[in-house]
Amino acid sequence: MNVLERNADDVARINTHTFAIAEAETAIHRQLPGEQFDPDIVHAVLVPGEI
């Protein structure tokens, strides 16, 4: 956690997509090979609530 805390700005820059927790399954499928795969996702974040 200390490493993340010290480098929070750098870590935040790799977040390319944000999904609501309710969309977790979609987020996973978009990062795995298959029909829903999205090559633009470098790092996806799940957040509580609606987006």
Side-chain angles (χ1 to χ4, degrees):
M1 291 306 293
N2 289 334
V3 171
L4 290 175
E5 198 171 276
R6 286 192 311 266
N7 298 294
D9 291 335
D10 293 333
V11 172
R13 282 197 287 262
I14 68 168
N15 293 339
T16 58
H17 292 73
T18 302
F19 296 90
I21 290 174
E23 297 179 295
E25 186 173 348
T26 298
I28 292 167
H29 286 289
R30 290 186 57 193
Q31 295 177 74
L32 297 173
E35 290 182 20
Q36 295 181 22
F37 177 71
D38 183 345
D40 294 330
I41 296 178
V42 173
H43 185 267
V45 177
L46 297 175
V47 296
E50 298 291 322
I51 298 187

